[in-house]
Amino acid sequence: MEATKQKTCVYLDYNGTTPVYPPVLEAMLPYLTDHFGNPSSSHHFGSEPKAAVNKARRSLLSLIQSVPIADLSSIMFTGCGTESNNVAIRLALLSSTHKVDKDGLLHVVTTNIEHPAITQCLNSYISGGLTPKITVTEVPVDEFGRVSSSDVIDAIQENTALVTIMTANNEVGSLQPVFEIAKICRQKHVLFHTDAAQAVGKVDLRGLADETTGADMVTIVGHKFGAPKGIAALYIRPNCLDENGRVNPEHGGSVLLMGGGQEGGRRGGTENVPYIAGIGRAADMLFEHGDRSGLEANAMHMQKMRSRLLERITTGLEESTGKTDISRVNGPLNADQRLPNTLSIGLKGVQSGRLLADIGEVVACSAGSACHSSSGPTMSYSAILKAMNVPQTFAVGTLRLSVGP
């Protein structure tokens, strides 16, 4: 019965997670069977797993660099995007204690639409639950969910240890000017991190982590582009934590998981070789037929699917209600400023939570709001939509529909 339901339910939640693509699963299986060895082992059974781990590092570097560097240690495998984001923040703060102000505080610049993996982590440092203690400037986005690079740069202070801006918003699909921000942060000697979880596999990120002008740290998450849940990575630019007065806290060992010294001493614990092989294969699939041809074909297909979906929804609503003002698209109108697969649409007079409950066995998608009551001032909805000043009448009825390749 459950299998039948899945076959009849249309999946439109690729921003939530993707299925594991068949070639990815095929690449993983040998490391669950024949090549089961520990990659840290010096004997025969460790050689193939170790080679697979290093191959995956090269594959991920190819996603974010114009010319992949030879230093494979710049890729640290983690268990999820949340871990990668938390580690990036911690490394930046612990390496920059020389920049504290007269009150002993560091400063971080971010936006008001970041993922909770960023905001909740920063809140722990703001409260003093984690040290060093910080203050945070949340640069507001515009009505389309995009931040101004000049506003971000203007927010930098003398004690700014980190600028962290997501590459693409998970809810409305807005792309941020991270290439430009990264370049200016490098000039100002301020560490820059970007959470690229939603962007990988959907837009071209070559150059995002180039050695001279790119980001210092980049988060990559496997289950957003065809690999299994439970595998992610953090790119850390070589020597970025030792420059401009910074002192790398990793010289004393891992700042999070202490143990056997895996991942170049950055993260203790035996590497999850099957999943690492999977994320590497997912990366390879994006450009295995030439110069990003797979990525470009995917983006074109997803853009067509999104356009078709929007047309069907708006036409259907107009035909059934006779009204033309019953829906509103949230996010950038310019296709070059948004993810090609993401449609955030608000429906007037609808509560998305109730609608999802009614259609959940037919269409799998996500709400752009979390409604706690039927009406009145206590009604709550997405903080992202609030930040974009989306009218409440549309915000409470917003659905996020995200298609796949």
Side-chain angles (χ1 to χ4, degrees):
M1 176 65 78
E2 190 62 33
T4 302
K5 286 183 179 179
Q6 289 190 8
K7 288 181 180 180
T8 58
C9 183
V10 179
Y11 190 72
L12 296 175
D13 198 20
Y14 277 77
N15 282 12
T17 193
T18 64
V20 176
Y21 299 153
V24 171
L25 179 59
E26 183 179 357
M28 294 170 59
L29 289 177
Y31 304 97
L32 291 166
T33 53
D34 295 339
H35 303 305
F36 59 86
N38 189 321
S40 297
S41 297
S42 58
H43 53 63
H44 169 76
F45 285 91
S47 59
E48 185 63 32
K50 182 177 181 179
V53 170
N54 285 332
K55 181 179 185 298
R57 295 190 208 278
R58 282 191 288 270
S59 297
L60 293 188
L61 285 173
S62 296
L63 292 177
I64 57 176
Q65 293 186 325
S66 301
V67 180
I69 61 175
D71 190 348
L72 300 182
S73 67
S74 60
I75 292 290
M76 179 182 77
F77 289 111
T78 65
C80 59
T82 295
E83 180 186 345
S84 293
N85 288 342
N86 279 213
V87 170
I89 292 170
R90 186 146 186 79
L91 288 174
L93 297 181
L94 290 180
S95 68
S96 303
T97 54
H98 66 290
K99 299 184 74 171
V100 296
D101 65 11
K102 60 182 177 60
D103 297 316
L105 300 174
L106 289 173
H107 177 249
V108 175
V109 178
T110 188
T111 75
N112 59 349
I113 62 165
E114 296 297 312
H115 190 277
I118 294 292
T119 58
Q120 293 302 313
C121 183
L122 292 177
N123 286 341
S124 294
Y125 289 98
I126 293 172
S127 68
L130 292 175
T131 57
K133 198 169 183 180
I134 65 172
T135 60
V136 172
T137 298
E138 289 189 349
V139 180
V141 296
D142 61 20
E143 62 182 302
F144 303 110
R146 302 188 78 237
V147 74
S148 161
S149 58
S150 60
D151 287 347
V152 172
I153 300 307
D154 288 345
I156 293 176
Q157 305 171 6
E158 288 188 9
N159 65 330
T160 300
L162 175 69
V163 175
T164 177
I165 309 286
M166 60 172 37
T167 307
N169 182 260
N170 51 297
E171 191 170 316
V172 299
S174 52
L175 292 170
Q176 307 304 333
V178 292
F179 287 82
E180 181 181 357
I181 294 171
K183 182 178 181 179
I184 300 175
C185 282
R186 188 72 70 84
Q187 295 170 354
K188 290 183 171 291
H189 307 305
V190 174
L191 289 171
F192 177 64
H193 163 256
T194 183
D195 178 355
Q198 286 294 345
V200 174
K202 300 165 187 168
V203 294
D204 192 346
L205 297 181
R206 286 176 298 177
L208 178 59
D210 277 2
E211 282 196 275
T212 56
T213 61
D216 297 295
M217 293 179 280
V218 180
T219 293
I220 300 171
V221 180
H223 76 98
K224 303 298 187 182
F225 63 107
K229 303 165 193 65
I231 184 65
L234 178 65
Y235 163 80
I236 305 171
R237 182 173 62 82
N239 302 316
C240 72
L241 301 176
D242 291 297
E243 298 171 343
N244 304 305
R246 291 185 285 269
V247 178
N248 190 343
E250 295 177 319
H251 291 328
S254 172
V255 300
L256 185 63
L257 296 178
M258 289 152 278
Q262 289 86 354
E263 293 301 283
R266 283 180 162 148
R267 185 182 190 268
T270 301
E271 291 92 345
N272 187 349
V273 180
Y275 282 38
I276 290 173
I279 195 174
R281 183 69 181 97
D284 289 342
M285 288 176 63
L286 296 172
F287 54 95
E288 62 185 351
H289 298 301
D291 185 26
R292 303 292 163 157
S293 60
L295 177 61
E296 293 167 1
N298 286 351
M300 290 179 61
H301 171 74
M302 290 186 288
Q303 181 61 53
K304 289 180 180 178
M305 292 287 287
R306 179 193 181 276
S307 298
R308 181 181 179 186
L309 192 58
L310 176 59
E311 181 183 5
R312 291 284 184 90
I313 292 173
T314 54
T315 300
L317 288 173
E318 290 178 14
E319 290 178 351
S320 61
T321 66
K323 299 178 181 179
T324 59
D325 62 346
I326 200 170
S327 65
R328 179 187 193 275
V329 175
N330 307 313
L333 302 179
N334 186 336
D336 293 334
Q337 297 177 353
R338 65 170 186 255
L339 294 175
N341 78 315
T342 305
L343 174 61
S344 173
I345 185 166
L347 308 176
K348 184 185 291 186
V350 172
Q351 288 187 23
S352 55
R354 291 184 178 180
L355 178 59
L356 288 177
D358 291 339
I359 67 173
E361 297 299 322
V362 181
V363 178
C365 60
S366 297
S369 66
C371 299
H372 300 298
S373 68
S374 59
S375 62
T378 60
M379 186 177 291
S380 178
Y381 55 93
S382 162
I384 307 302
L385 300 181
K386 286 182 180 179
M388 295 166 56
N389 293 317
V390 174
Q392 179 173 303
T393 184
F394 289 107
V396 297
T398 289
L399 298 178
R400 183 192 69 183
L401 309 170
S402 51
V403 300

